[in-house]
Every structure is written in C-alpha cells, then in structure tokens.
Amino acid sequence: MLRGMATVARHVFRPLFTEQYPEKQLELPEIERGRLLFLEERCIKCRQCERICPNGTISMEVERDLKSETGEKLILREYNVHQGSCLVCDLCVEVCPTDTLAWATVYEAPTFKREDLFFDRERLAWETDRVSLDRIAESTFYERDDYVEAVRASREGER
Amino acid sequence: MNATNMTDALLNALGIYGLEGLPLLVAQVAVGAILAAVIILVIALVTYYKRKFMGDAAVRIGPNRTGPFGILIWVADAIKLIQKEDIVHRDADPWVFNAGPIVMVTATVMTFAVVPFGYGLVFSNMDVGLVYLFAISELSLLGVIMAGYGSNNKWATISTLRAVLQTISYEITLIIAALGVVMVAGTFNLHEIVLAQEGTFFGILPRWFVFTQPVAFVLFTVAMFGEIMRNPFDLPEAESELVAGYYTEYSGFKFALIFFAEFGHMVLATFVLTTIFLGGWLGPSFLPGVLWFTVKAYFVLLLIFVMRMTHPRVRPDQMLQLGWKGLLELSFVNLVLTGVVLAVVA
Amino acid sequence: MNKPPAVRLFGEVGARPGGKHTLECDPSDVGNVCSKIRDAGFDFLSFVTAVERGDSFEVVYHMRNTGEWERLFLKTEVPRDEASLPTVSDVWRAANWHEREVYDLFGVEFDGHPKLERIILHENWVGHPLRKDYEEREQDITLDMIDLVDDEGGEDHDVMYVNVGPQHPAAHGVARIQAAFDGEMVEKVNFDIGFMHRGVEKLCETFEYRQIVPYYDRMDWTGPSNVEGAYVRAVEELLEVEAPPRAQYLRVIASELGRITGHLIGVGQMAMDLTGMTGVIFMYCWREREKALDLLDMMTGGRLTHNYMTIGGTRYDLSEGLEEKALKFTKEMREAIVEYHSLTTENEVFRARTVGTGVMDGDLMLDWGVTGPSLRGSGVDYDLRRDDPYFLYEDFDFDVITYPDGGNYDRFEVRMDEMEESCRIIEQALDEMPGGDHQAKVPKRLRADGEHYAAVEAPKGEFGTYIVADGTNKPQRLKIRTPSFSNIACVEDLVRGEKIPDLVVGFASLDPVFGEVDR
C-alpha cells in the first residue's frame, strides 16, 4: 500500500513523459507511411496500383491515343487518391514496377473537411513537389488555407 | 479584549467598535459573503491544483493553456459549464432534481462557518461547533439523495443507496473518533479545541491530538475518506461501474454545483482534520497562524490526492465490513480507553 | 497414440475418416458423434462454422484435446433448403455462441439450441449475409430492452434491469450487457454484441490473398502484429511457402512487441476499472505502450496498422538503430513492471478486490472455449507458441505462465508475467538474429486450393484463420476464429452471483477487444 503511494509520489518529481502538441511533435521514423506521393513522369500507366488497392482508394483514367505527338500511346487523364479511405497498406507502392509511388511521412494527416483528403493529379503533383523539395514532414495544418487558395487559383487559370 | 470571531476581528481592524442591532447584522452578512467568496475561490484553486498535481503524478502536463500555467482553468471550466444546456429529462422530478445541487452547495459552504483559520479568525465561534459541523455536513447527503432520486436513473439510484449506506456507516466512526478529542479537550468548540493543543511535550513534540489520540486520528482519517467519498471509498461515484453515480443526469451549471460541493466537502475535510488533530493554526511564530493552517491543510490534501491516485475502490460489502466490523469497534474501544486514562490522570 | 486423431477415432465415434485430421458424418449423427469425440478427450471446441458448397452447407467443427492439443475437424453437409442439424451446445458450452453465429450468418438451424437467436446482427435483420446469394437491402433496426429473468420468484423477487453499455465507461468498446441486478448482486447477464460488425469475413471473400492482410490489423488494434501472423501463417501453410529465418525472427519481435502493447491495455484497463480514471496506473501503462508503439512504428512503418507481415516474409528488414532502442525498451519495461506491481498486486485493496472473485476453474474455461491468458490464469497449460510452434518460436527459451486459482487476480498476474517473458523473447531474437533475406520469392499471382486452419497465440488467445480455397486467387470462405468472441461468452457464468463492481472487473479481466468480437 505504502509502496504504491511512494511510487505515485516519486512520479510527481520526475520529468513528464507527455509532450505538448503542437509546440512539440513526435519525430516520425522515415519508414512511416503517411501520405501517398505520385511522380507522374515515371508512370507507365500499367494500372497495377489501381487493381491491387483493396478498397478503391486509387482510381485512374487512362486513354489510349495511338497518334499521340509525344509518342506515348497511353495518356493519363485522371489519377485520384482518396486519402480518407487509404489503409496505408503499402501494396500499391510494392506492386509499382517503376517506383512511381512513394510515401511521405505526415504528422497531421486529418483535415476539417472530407474533400481536403481528396488528391487529384494536380494536388498530388503539388504535394509531391513540395515534399520532395523538403522530405521532412511539415505541418500542413496551418498551411491548408494557402494551399486550397493555390489550387483554386491554378484551376481558375486553366479555365 | 480577545476577538473570538471573524466579524469582530475585521471590524476591530477597521477601528469600529461596539456595533449593535441592524448595523451588526449588515456587517455580519457582509463578512459572511466575503468568507463564502474566499472559500469558493479556495475551492476553485484546489480544483486547479488537483488537476495539475494529478497530471504531474500521471506523467501528464495537466492544464496549461488558460492563463500562466493554466491557472485560470477553473474560470474557463465555470464559463463552459454555465454556457451548457441545462437538461432536465422527461422522467425526472424537476423540483427535487433542481434542488439537489443547491442543497449540497449550501450545506457545504455553511459548514465552513465554524472552522477557525487562525486565532480569532472564525466566522461563528459556536460552543457546539463540532456538533454543528457534523450536522450540517450531513445535510449535503440530503442533497445527494435528492439528486439521485430526482434523476430517476438506475445508476443514480444504485449510487444514492450506496452513498446513504456509506455515510451512515462511516459517520458514526467519525463522530466517535472525534469524541475522543472532545473528551481530552473538554469542549465542542473548535476554536478551543485548537487552543487545547498549545504547548509541547518535552519541548519538541507539539501537543497536537494526533500524538495524544493516535488511534482516533487513524480512525478519523479513514472514516473521513468514506465520508467525502474519495478513493478507496468512492463507491457512490464509481465511474467505471455506475457511469457517474448520482450526477449521471446532470449537465451545465447544476453539474458545476455538484462538482463544487464535492470539492468543498473535500477541502472541508482537510480543514477539520487539521483543526482537531494537527493543531490548527498553531506552529512556530515565524509564520502567521493562517499560513500554518494552510500548510497543514495542504499536506492533508496531498494525502487525499495520493490516496486517490493509488488505491482501487473497495466493494460495497467490503466497505460495510470495514465500517461496521472494524472501525466502529475500534472507535468505541478508543473512547472507553480515553475515558479510563482521563479518570486515572484526574 | 501416435496415429493422427481422425485415423484413431473414426471407428470409436462412428464417423467416416475424411483426411488425416478430419472426420465426416451425417448431419443427424452430429450430436452423438460429438459427445463421443468429447468422451475421447477432445474437451476444447475451437470454432464452428459453415462453408457454402453449391446446394449445401458444410458445417465444420474444430476441436482439440487437453494435454496433446491434437487437432480434429468434424464435417457434415446439410442441404441448403432445409439446413438444420442437432446442436452440440450441450456437449461443449463453447458451441453456444458459435452455433448462433452460424445461424445468424448462414441460416443453418441447430435443433435443441437453448437460445437460437441472431448474435451479431440485429434480431430484425432479414437475410443471412454470408450466403453467396445474399443481397443488400434496407434493414429496420431498433434497440430494445429484453426481459432476462423468468418470473420464478413471483412478486417478492425484485430485480432491476440495467443496460450496461453500449455506451458505458467499462464497456471496453461497444458491448451491451443486459444485466438483472438484485440489489448489488448480479442475477443474470445477457450479452448483446455486434455493434462493431464490419463484415470482414464477407469482405475477405472479395479480395486477393495479398489484400487481406491490412484488414486483419483492424480487428485487434491492441496488438495488430500478432493478428497478421494468424493470417500469414495460414496462407503460407496452405500455399506451402516458407518465409526465411530472418523474416521469422522479425515476425517474432513484432509479435512480442504487439503482445506487450496488448497486455498493457489489458492490465491498464482492468486496473482502471478498479480504480477509476483518477488512478495513475493506466497512464503508466500507456507510457510504456507509447514507447512500444514508437518501436513498432520504426519497424513496420505504421503505429497501429502495421501491415508488416507479407506472404513469405516481412515488408521491411530490421530498421537501423532499432536493436539498440529495443534493448533500451526491454530494460525500461522491466523497471516499469516493478512499478505496476507496486501499484496493483502489492496493494491490499487491489488484492482484496481481485483475489477470489470471478473464479472459474480450468475445465469450465476450456468448455467455454476460453484461450490465452484468461485460460492460463485457471491453470491450464496451453500456449500455441509452445504447443503448435510457428515463426520458429521453438528456437526461443520462454516460460508459459500459468496461475492456479482462476480468479481475476490470476488472470491479471498472467498478463504481467507474460510481458516479462515477451521482453526475454525480444532480447533473444535480437541477439540471435539470423542473416539473409527477409522475403521469400513468392509468385505474383497467388492461387490456392484446398483448406487449412492455422492459429497463433495473440494477446487475447487463440487467433485462427480457416481458409477454404477453390483454386482461384480469392478465398472461397475465410473464417476468422477470434479469441475475444469465445472468451467473453463465459461472462454469464463468470459473474453470476457476484457484485456489480465485480461484473465490471470480471469482464475486464478477460480483456476483450470488440473489433475482434464483432469482426
């Protein structure tokens, strides 16, 4: 009885184990699977990742164009990853023959809106650029608004 | 003239003497209000400190966002709870349900009136202080019963039955243990009980009742844990069994009141233990009496916290076994022995 | 005794041999055959399930005997239209819930079953989802309170019916215990499970073999790496793939770290149910669990959903710096266990609360199909790591912990001591880590044929997978035998006549995880 009380009393004077988020964040190992990255120029459109994905997180649309100017016969129209349903199982990365897919460590993966977890081609490219510049997981939490603005602006520019 | 109550002391300090009639009443109400406010502030700070301390012990940080070191957390809590929707569910008995928390808080705050915080610093220097204390603090049980039955909730019902059972079982031990002190001190007046503890044995050991009445002290402490419903006797609350016990159905401000009453009860218990066993405000003169009182009460509070974090809760049947088959007998034995010793010495 | 059980027993019990470990019989004989099998020493029923075979259902029983732990399967075929056969719930109590599950999901009826109701799905559910021709439809679901106690005592007999859960602090997820209290006494309890049913078995029928692994993680989130092992082992044995020794050692490390995380929750939650949220013990357990999760994260790339084990190996090799950290962790873990003991087993109040409460002897536990630490707490020496070694567990030197009395205290102590054994195994594995590759060569497209059952010792008990393959790249039927499902079935016997606080503690001492109960 008294030993238990002593244990408790001792802990009052010990350093704390908990760290205060968001001032401090856990250091994630490099191996950690967080968010899917997609390097489009490497993709050979074999659709293996789409097939192996257990719950349809990855969906792609490929068009066959035999008279393409660039010489490529398959053109990638859409490549969507709905991160919200991703199981982070690594099967797509494993199956990819050309190392097109990779993982980024993300500390703050949740978002306020479901749509924010939806990554289309542009957003994947943007995300991949950003992460490959600086592979360290950054706080995307505070940057979200800017990011949405940027995507919106680029889309409007296209129109 | 020695001031023996707080109103007089304050008025004397302000240079006012000899008030009578209506002005005296007004002054007393004002001092009472100030006292109540101070007590409320103390209890609020204790809630903050409890959270911080328990956080430390459980390798967590505890509150740290509101104010420096999170010291204003109780303000935030209060504001949050007041803002919340006040739910009285369809099957509840609204009158009893609403009155329960009020009775609890009123009873708790009223009991502080007889606690002497320092020499002469007692709001009401009653001759039957100890009796008043037990009587009024027991009223808060009435609040528990009202809350529990008014809720019309099965968990609350079980909890209320447990609360009644437990309080009845431990109240007797509590009073009988305190009677040992009363016999030695020869008075029910809390102020005088403290004064009876003045002086030392052999020049070092203070003449506190914890040393002259050690068995009574242990019994009183254990029964006190039962009385304030803290681990290992937190059966009425028992959040892993009874969800939240008698306040399962409460929300918003009424929940805050119950929470406050519970803490008030705990703080009161530390004050009473300090007063009747640890020599109240007495101590070497390099610190003022009120500070000695605070320091002693603080250590009793730490004891409650550590007990609370360490011990599992006992089962209701074990609680009854301990109460009726152990503590009660011991307290009577202690009473008789005290009487015999006093007779022999006299 | 060296002959396989099916060869030895078929004449004795009156059934046809169907393979080395398999017996076959007619549906009407099931009752007789089973009682004879039980008389022959097979006192532990692992699971009952059904497999759809064209126009009929094949009902499969799996049992083991004490001491030898031989496996024996009994199969019988019932026609689809009139699917009914005698119950064996009077032979093994464990059959009770398993038969209800088969009834619920397949629509096979068991004559003479004491309470043949839906167990996982709601009572108003229409259709039997694991039939291949089941179609989705809108279902009408409302929750009712059910009267539990028969009116035996007449009007003098006052009982209070209380719903403990689905939302209750001690529900450990979403269990609903319908309880009848007589004062503080628990008169009768009735479990209502299935709030977290996600249809994993049905889902798995639509997946290729490789895709199933991540779904296993999500059943027991307290120790996912063990659970992956249950699937990987079954598939590897079915496909006759062998993982290289390095992979096996890595799997052992992951499994034992998973066991520590699982037991820490089991121990911490039980202590919390005794103490309340204010008790520090739960937070101390959580602190060590965080450290273990950090290690697992470093090793597998995911904190809770590892997907570490692949068919034929592991996903990654040993990460750099892991060995050092793991050794530091085992050292800290041992210190922490001393601390936990000072707060729990050395505490008088804790002992007063747990010693001698929730007592159930080993035979009854086996009869209910309880496995894992809960069974070993009743003195039954059964651990799949030793009795049916997998992942090269035979290389390691560890003790199987048993405690004799079968109370809440014993189950608690078993978990505490097992954490220490896990530390030992991790240290040995790191010390003797063989070189070589961590992944065997496995064909890209996996096709399997035949059927197989394999189980591992998960933190909660025997976690098994029964695969029926039909030659395609997807399993025809995948039955998941989860330990918590069988374990909590015994609660109604365990807590009858105890007080309300012991209902909560007895339930917690079985350490159920509702992801695997409901699947």
Side-chain angles (χ1 to χ4, degrees), chain A residues 1-5 7-12 14 17-18 26-29 31-34 48 50-55 86-91 94-95 97 103, chain C residues 207-208 210-211 214-215 218 280 284 286-287 290-291 294 297-303 305-308 310 315-316 319 338-339 342-343 346-349 444-445:
Chain A
M1 197 177 221
L2 291 175
R3 275 192 60 184
M5 288 168 75
T7 308
V8 173
R10 219 171 27 243
H11 272 91
V12 177
R14 284 212 190 143
F17 183 72
T18 316
L26 220 60
E27 270 181 43
L28 294 175
I31 204 171
E32 159 95 17
R33 301 191 289 270
Q48 285 203 62
E50 190 188 16
R51 193 184 59 79
I52 197 79
C53 185
N55 56 358
C86 182
L87 292 169
V88 288
C89 64
D90 198 45
L91 289 170
E94 192 184 55
V95 83
W103 291 106
Chain C
F207 289 144
E208 293 174 25
R210 236 181 268 273
Q211 293 176 324
Y215 284 86
R218 283 150 177 86
V280 283
Y284 293 171
W286 215 257
R287 175 189 60 191
E290 272 309 302
K291 293 178 189 165
D294 281 349
D297 192 7
M298 208 172 148
M299 192 170 169
T300 66
R303 282 178 87 75
T305 50
H306 311 313
N307 194 21
Y308 182 56
T310 58
R315 193 161 296 279
Y316 307 112
S319 324
V338 174
E339 226 163 58
S342 77
L343 283 164
E346 287 170 18
N347 187 305
E348 283 80 357
V349 183
K444 250 202 164 140
R445 275 159 201 258

Side-chain angles (χ1 to χ4, degrees), chain B residues 223-294:
Chain B
M224 180 189 87
F225 277 105
E227 189 66 19
I228 61 173
M229 297 167 195
R230 294 286 147 194
N231 277 19
F233 300 104
D234 65 337
L235 298 157
E237 227 181 288
E239 72 259 35
S240 54
E241 297 150 22
L242 305 182
V243 188
Y246 52 86
Y247 54 87
T248 307
E249 295 290 349
Y250 282 91
S251 67
F253 189 59
K254 277 179 275 181
F255 174 78
L257 285 183
I258 291 181
F259 193 73
F260 176 80
E262 291 227 312
F263 265 92
H265 223 95
M266 189 168 87
V267 173
L268 176 77
T270 66
F271 285 179
V272 173
L273 195 73
T274 311
T275 307
I276 63 179
F277 283 103
L278 300 176
W281 69 83
L282 300 174
S285 58
F286 58 84
L287 282 180
V290 181
L291 224 57
W292 274 116
F293 186 86
T294 315

Side-chain angles (χ1 to χ4, degrees), chain A:
Chain A
M1 197 177 221
L2 291 175
R3 275 192 60 184
M5 288 168 75
T7 308
V8 173
R10 219 171 27 243
H11 272 91
V12 177
F13 303 105
R14 284 212 190 143
L16 302 175
F17 183 72
T18 316
E19 285 173 357
Q20 183 65 39
Y21 170 86
E23 281 88 14
K24 271 187 190 169
Q25 294 183 357
L26 220 60
E27 270 181 43
L28 294 175
E30 264 179 43
I31 204 171
E32 159 95 17
R33 301 191 289 270
R35 189 169 287 159
L36 208 54
L37 302 178
F38 178 66
L39 298 163
E40 201 180 317
E41 59 272 22
R42 288 202 192 166
C43 182
I44 56 167
K45 292 97 184 170
C46 65
R47 308 191 80 149
Q48 285 203 62
C49 47
E50 190 188 16
R51 193 184 59 79
I52 197 79
C53 185
N55 56 358
T57 296
I58 299 172
S59 63
M60 57 199 287
E61 215 173 274
V62 178
E63 200 173 288
R64 197 176 277 272
D65 186 357
L66 295 173
K67 294 168 195 161
S68 142
E69 291 166 13
T70 52
E72 278 188 76
K73 284 174 187 155
L74 296 170
I75 295 166
L76 188 68
R77 290 286 175 221
E78 290 284 342
Y79 193 93
N80 299 326
V81 177
H82 198 299
Q83 201 73 42
S85 66
C86 182
L87 292 169
V88 288
C89 64
D90 198 45
L91 289 170
C92 50
V93 178
E94 192 184 55
V95 83
C96 184
T98 54
D99 287 344
T100 302
L101 295 163
W103 291 106
T105 57
V106 180
Y107 191 77
E108 289 150 325
T111 53
F112 285 104
K113 280 184 283 177
R114 199 191 179 98
E115 302 87 69
D116 290 346
L117 288 166
F118 185 79
F119 287 78
D120 58 5
R121 249 168 98 193
E122 293 161 26
R123 227 186 126 180
L124 275 171
W126 198 89
E127 193 80 358
T128 309
D129 274 356
R130 190 175 66 79
V131 174
S132 55
L133 283 174
D134 182 6
R135 269 202 70 104
I136 305 162
E138 279 182 343
S139 168
T140 53
F141 193 78
Y142 300 109
E143 289 173 293
R144 195 174 56 88
D145 292 342
D146 306 353
Y147 167 64
V148 172
E149 284 302 310
V151 173
R152 198 171 290 148
S154 78
R155 278 187 192 160
E156 273 165 16
E158 272 180 19
R159 270 182 216 147

Side-chain angles (χ1 to χ4, degrees), chain B residues 40-341:
Chain B
I40 287 167
L41 190 70
V42 166
I43 294 171
L45 285 175
V46 166
T47 65
Y48 159 74
Y49 184 72
K50 175 222 156 194
R51 293 172 67 165
K52 201 78 186 163
F53 181 82
M54 302 237 301
D56 265 358
V59 291
R60 291 182 286 116
I61 296 171
N64 68 338
R65 288 277 192 248
T66 39
F69 305 105
I71 200 155
L72 294 176
I73 187 74
W74 57 276
V75 180
D77 270 350
I79 292 171
K80 180 191 77 180
L81 285 170
I82 290 168
Q83 283 176 340
K84 281 199 172 179
E85 188 188 351
D86 179 35
I87 300 167
V88 183
H89 68 98
R90 197 180 51 207
D91 294 336
D93 183 339
W95 282 96
V96 183
F97 185 79
N98 290 335
I102 299 169
V103 172
M104 283 173 77
V105 171
T106 316
T108 306
V109 175
M110 269 168 76
T111 40
F112 283 94
V114 290
V115 177
F117 300 100
Y119 183 71
L121 277 179
V122 53
F123 180 71
S124 171
N125 193 8
M126 283 186 216
D127 280 343
V128 287
L130 205 57
V131 177
Y132 168 86
L133 190 94
F134 288 134
I136 301 293
S137 77
E138 207 62 356
L139 270 182
S140 76
L141 180 67
L142 185 67
V144 171
I145 297 171
M146 289 165 81
Y149 276 116
S151 305
N152 194 5
N153 174 308
K154 287 170 180 172
W155 298 121
T157 310
I158 298 174
S159 159
T160 313
L161 291 172
R162 281 187 184 186
V164 174
L165 204 61
Q166 181 171 331
T167 316
I168 291 172
S169 311
Y170 284 74
E171 186 74 16
I172 300 174
T173 310
L174 198 75
I175 293 172
I176 305 278
L179 273 186
V181 171
V182 172
M183 282 169 79
V184 178
T187 172
F188 275 112
N189 187 323
L190 285 169
H191 197 260
E192 281 167 28
I193 287 178
V194 175
L195 289 177
Q197 301 178 56
E198 256 183 331
T200 52
F201 296 114
F202 320 116
I204 27 167
L205 199 63
R207 202 183 272 273
W208 296 348
F209 285 128
V210 60
F211 300 114
T212 47
Q213 286 278 327
V215 182
F217 174 70
V218 173
L219 290 173
F220 191 90
T221 315
V222 174
M224 180 189 87
F225 277 105
E227 189 66 19
I228 61 173
M229 297 167 195
R230 294 286 147 194
N231 277 19
F233 300 104
D234 65 337
L235 298 157
E237 227 181 288
E239 72 259 35
S240 54
E241 297 150 22
L242 305 182
V243 188
Y246 52 86
Y247 54 87
T248 307
E249 295 290 349
Y250 282 91
S251 67
F253 189 59
K254 277 179 275 181
F255 174 78
L257 285 183
I258 291 181
F259 193 73
F260 176 80
E262 291 227 312
F263 265 92
H265 223 95
M266 189 168 87
V267 173
L268 176 77
T270 66
F271 285 179
V272 173
L273 195 73
T274 311
T275 307
I276 63 179
F277 283 103
L278 300 176
W281 69 83
L282 300 174
S285 58
F286 58 84
L287 282 180
V290 181
L291 224 57
W292 274 116
F293 186 86
T294 315
V295 168
K296 287 173 190 173
Y298 171 74
F299 277 103
V300 178
L301 202 63
L302 287 193
L303 176 78
I304 293 178
F305 288 163
V306 173
M307 285 290 278
R308 201 178 169 190
M309 281 182 286
T310 314
H311 293 298
R313 126 181 12 103
V314 297
R315 246 195 340 254
D317 56 325
Q318 291 167 338
M319 177 268 290
L320 289 177
Q321 295 257 348
L322 183 69
W324 291 102
K325 293 189 186 162
L327 300 180
L328 191 63
E329 281 78 353
L330 272 175
S331 60
F332 275 113
V333 168
N334 179 59
L335 194 68
V336 172
L337 280 182
T338 311
V340 171
V341 170

